[in-house]
Amino acid sequence: MTFRGSQTVSTVMESPSIIQDEIGADRVMTDDIFDTTYIKKVDFKPPIKLVWRNVILMALLHFGAFYGLFMIPAAKPITLAWAILCFMLSALGVTAGAHRLWSHRSYKAKLPLRIFLAVVNSMAFQNDIYEWARDHRVHHKYSETDADPHNAVRGFFFSHIGWLLMRKHPDVIEKGKKLDLSDLKADKVVMFQRRNYKLSILVMCFILPTVIPWYFWDESFSVAFYVPCLLRYALVLNATWLVNSAAHMYGNRPYDQTINPRENPLVAIGAIGEGFHNYHHTFPFDYSTSEFGLKFNITTGFIDLMCLLGLANDCKRVSKETIMARKKRTGDGSHRSG
Ligand SMILES: [Zn+2]
Ligand SMILES: [Zn+2]
């Protein structure tokens, strides 16, 4: 960890244009690039304060989702198809929306697409886009320090769900306040969702997934509530959390072996493309979050489709030369042929 981030500009072997490309210097927003100046307050360890409301709600949700597993055989095939559709839509609201568009500005989206992504983001109920993007930029900028909201150094449980069950470390709050979030504040869709968040999650995450199967194809209310609503919601949450936990612990580091995030294809499958995490933390502004385009990456396919339809543009990519140079300089050698 001693070399963390320091190679970005110091051991310059490549041309300046490659280094510029590596940090995405042409972007307006660069608050997702690792900040090497963070200094840990060594003797300071704040007490853990549980947020009991979240502990109880998360316990109830997971009991409900577990019960939902046993309801699957009783569900009509069309209800299961609906549950999968709800999973995909809510996952896209996080991956293509809160993550790749709003946290990293890795592509541009026209108004109808931004509205769609905000609506399906509410279906995922993972805090509003503004808060999600702020936490995520802090995660990248101060990754694996006390200022990282889900600091993976604190273990699998903390980085997976524990961080949501307790008060934030003061450094997370302090550093979060210093981020430039002007682009989010200027986005009317983001701020509208934030103002109407409670109503939007009630409708999109709970009412709609339950009522549609019950009303349109006579599914029993309890199956509709436990499978497409609770089970689907818990699965999307856990798929997202695995990026913060498993993909920070298990896998190769072909792009930068001095950082913890890893390439984890299983997480990529579950989180529809977000498991190539060593690549993503090395090049956070790449719209594909991966060197390999569509491989295990439904989100990239979705954004490509939106570009074809004229609803998205300006997808940022890292050049092959820059990737190769970075692999040679800081990778663990696991992509020898690459
Ligand atoms: Zn990460
Ligand atoms: Zn990210």
Side-chain angles (χ1 to χ4, degrees), residues 139 248 277 281:
H139 166 62
H248 270 254
H277 216 49
H281 273 262

mmCIF file of all heavy atoms in Angstrom, residues 139 248 277 281, ligand 1:
data_model
loop_
_atom_site.group_PDB
_atom_site.id
_atom_site.type_symbol
_atom_site.label_atom_id
_atom_site.label_comp_id
_atom_site.label_asym_id
_atom_site.label_seq_id
_atom_site.Cartn_x
_atom_site.Cartn_y
_atom_site.Cartn_z
ATOM 1 N N HIS A 139 -15.705 7.592 -1.652
ATOM 2 C CA HIS A 139 -15.146 6.238 -1.672
ATOM 3 C C HIS A 139 -13.940 6.149 -2.609
ATOM 4 O O HIS A 139 -12.915 5.550 -2.267
ATOM 5 C CB HIS A 139 -16.226 5.238 -2.097
ATOM 6 C CG HIS A 139 -15.696 3.890 -2.469
ATOM 7 N ND1 HIS A 139 -15.017 3.084 -1.583
ATOM 8 C CD2 HIS A 139 -15.723 3.202 -3.647
ATOM 9 C CE1 HIS A 139 -14.655 1.958 -2.193
ATOM 10 N NE2 HIS A 139 -15.066 2.012 -3.449
ATOM 11 N N HIS A 248 -13.448 -5.799 -3.368
ATOM 12 C CA HIS A 248 -12.300 -5.125 -2.743
ATOM 13 C C HIS A 248 -11.387 -6.140 -2.061
ATOM 14 O O HIS A 248 -10.440 -5.756 -1.387
ATOM 15 C CB HIS A 248 -12.778 -4.081 -1.724
ATOM 16 C CG HIS A 248 -12.989 -2.722 -2.338
ATOM 17 N ND1 HIS A 248 -12.136 -1.667 -2.143
ATOM 18 C CD2 HIS A 248 -13.954 -2.264 -3.173
ATOM 19 C CE1 HIS A 248 -12.564 -0.610 -2.817
ATOM 20 N NE2 HIS A 248 -13.670 -0.944 -3.452
ATOM 21 N N HIS A 277 -13.220 -4.272 -10.705
ATOM 22 C CA HIS A 277 -13.064 -3.138 -9.796
ATOM 23 C C HIS A 277 -11.640 -2.614 -9.718
ATOM 24 O O HIS A 277 -11.427 -1.459 -9.350
ATOM 25 C CB HIS A 277 -13.585 -3.553 -8.418
ATOM 26 C CG HIS A 277 -14.273 -2.437 -7.718
ATOM 27 N ND1 HIS A 277 -15.243 -1.643 -8.304
ATOM 28 C CD2 HIS A 277 -14.130 -1.951 -6.461
ATOM 29 C CE1 HIS A 277 -15.652 -0.739 -7.438
ATOM 30 N NE2 HIS A 277 -14.992 -0.886 -6.313
ATOM 31 N N HIS A 281 -11.197 1.353 -10.298
ATOM 32 C CA HIS A 281 -10.517 2.302 -9.399
ATOM 33 C C HIS A 281 -9.275 2.904 -10.048
ATOM 34 O O HIS A 281 -8.848 3.988 -9.658
ATOM 35 C CB HIS A 281 -10.145 1.631 -8.073
ATOM 36 C CG HIS A 281 -11.249 1.690 -7.054
ATOM 37 N ND1 HIS A 281 -11.292 2.640 -6.053
ATOM 38 C CD2 HIS A 281 -12.358 0.937 -6.896
ATOM 39 C CE1 HIS A 281 -12.382 2.446 -5.310
ATOM 40 N NE2 HIS A 281 -13.048 1.425 -5.810
HETATM 41 ZN ZN ZN B 1 -14.666 0.464 -4.790
#
